[in-house]
Amino acid sequence: MSNAHHRKKQPALVRQQLLDVAARLAASEGMAAVTLDAVSAASSVSKGGLLHHFPTKNALLDALFESLLEKFDADIEELMRGDPLPQGRFTRAYVKAVSGLKDRPDDSRNWTQVTIALLAEPRLRLRWRQWVQARAEEYVGTDSSLDAQIVRFAADGLWFADTLESHDIDGALRRDLIGRLVELTGK
């Protein structure tokens, strides 16, 4: 007889474990490798247990995207707390959060796969669009200048270049580039 009914249930922990495994699979093998069977096997969670948390692959991918977005939001909030200048604060934090992904390989790999999925998945694009619009509305008084918008577009370009590994930007040039973008946020 199984001891499963005697184990303490920890749904939040199991859910996070499933998301971590899905992120790891996506980062190492691509989004196509993130199947319910693969996540179940790699996490040692029964398929029924996985389906309890994520009834479909889309639900799992949506939750993975949401968890990455929550962490990204938390990074931005942390950076904003350390910035005393209100004008352009969100944009500076956005630039630093985007450029900082490169220094965190696990986050970078996860975002690489999700960024690629954004291109193919309308529901993820919609969710990203909603996030962008919500931040634009929230920071309309401090981050709606033309320069702030240009800086965020440039940060998106840097993010895309990092995702594709399309540009070799040495450390000094990268620091100068980010510094210049941050400088533009005060205008």
Side-chain angles (χ1 to χ4, degrees):
M1 181 165 183
S2 168
N3 289 333
H5 65 283
H6 293 292
R7 278 185 274 148
K8 183 178 180 183
K9 304 292 183 194
Q10 297 178 313
L13 190 63
V14 171
R15 185 178 193 283
Q16 188 58 53
Q17 176 189 0
L18 292 167
L19 289 173
D20 292 345
V21 167
R24 216 171 28 252
L25 281 170
S28 65
E29 300 176 38
M31 286 301 244
V34 181
T35 65
L36 296 178
D37 288 333
V39 172
S40 174
S43 66
S44 299
V45 172
S46 71
K47 190 157 180 190
L50 182 142
L51 291 171
H52 171 75
H53 293 281
F54 307 106
T56 65
K57 179 180 175 177
N58 283 345
L60 176 62
L61 295 178
D62 291 347
L64 175 59
F65 182 71
E66 285 300 321
S67 74
L68 289 171
L69 203 51
E70 286 171 13
K71 185 172 183 345
F72 190 61
D73 261 333
D75 290 346
I76 289 173
E77 289 296 324
E78 175 82 18
L79 290 162
M80 288 177 64
R81 275 193 293 278
D83 185 342
L85 181 63
Q87 189 64 35
R89 182 183 293 147
F90 169 75
T91 301
R92 284 188 295 281
Y94 183 80
V95 168
K96 291 174 183 176
V98 164
S99 64
L101 287 173
K102 189 170 180 76
D103 299 327
R104 296 188 314 271
D106 287 343
D107 288 345
S108 180
R109 280 189 298 272
N110 293 340
W111 270 109
T112 294
Q113 291 304 316
V114 168
T115 301
I116 292 166
L118 279 168
L119 299 174
E121 295 292 336
R123 71 187 188 293
L124 294 181
R125 278 198 310 274
L126 175 61
R127 180 61 187 99
W128 177 251
R129 179 180 171 82
Q130 291 168 338
W131 184 89
V132 169
Q133 287 178 330
R135 296 316 164 280
E137 291 168 11
E138 185 174 357
Y139 300 108
V140 70
T142 59
D143 290 79
S144 58
S145 72
L146 181 59
D147 284 338
Q149 291 178 36
I150 289 169
V151 167
R152 289 192 304 275
F153 281 126
D156 289 345
L158 180 61
W159 188 344
F160 198 61
D162 287 347
T163 297
L164 296 176
E165 298 177 345
S166 60
H167 294 72
D168 291 326
I169 304 172
D170 68 34
L173 178 59
R174 188 178 180 87
R175 279 189 302 279
D176 290 347
L177 175 65
I178 293 164
R180 180 69 176 124
L181 290 173
V182 167
E183 185 181 306
L184 287 170
T185 64
K187 295 184 176 193

